[in-house]
Amino acid sequence: MVLRLAAGVPKSLTVPTGARIVLFNGTGPFWVQYGANAALPNADVLTGAAPELAPAARNVQGIGSLGLIAPADCTVSIGFSG
């Protein structure tokens, strides 16, 4: 699957049933929030609730959705594996 992200515009997607791992690759920097909508960080976030910058792979067992956002237009390739 491929998501086209416009600068500052969040998108979300549902994690497919049975997916255990997600792989990401982007044409530019992007942020991922697990289980919630993403927002660009504009201050320190020290609670552990911050989105993650351009992860390569993550375990998504038990996570229902992914929120993505980018500071500039980019394309993100997303692959799920069970």
Side-chain angles (χ1 to χ4, degrees):
M1 117 180 2
V2 173
L3 282 183
R4 178 78 177 133
L5 299 176
V9 179
K11 286 193 176 179
S12 63
L13 62 110
T14 300
V15 174
T17 302
R20 297 181 65 178
I21 302 293
V22 61
L23 305 174
F24 297 97
N25 199 354
T27 60
F30 62 95
W31 296 86
V32 179
Q33 185 72 53
Y34 304 100
N37 292 327
L40 290 171
N42 59 5
D44 294 344
V45 180
L46 306 175
T47 63
E52 183 176 11
L53 178 61
R58 281 294 166 260
N59 182 330
V60 291
Q61 286 182 294
I63 297 173
S65 65
L66 303 174
L68 289 90
I69 194 166
D73 291 358
C74 73
T75 302
V76 181
S77 172
I78 303 167
F80 291 97
S81 175

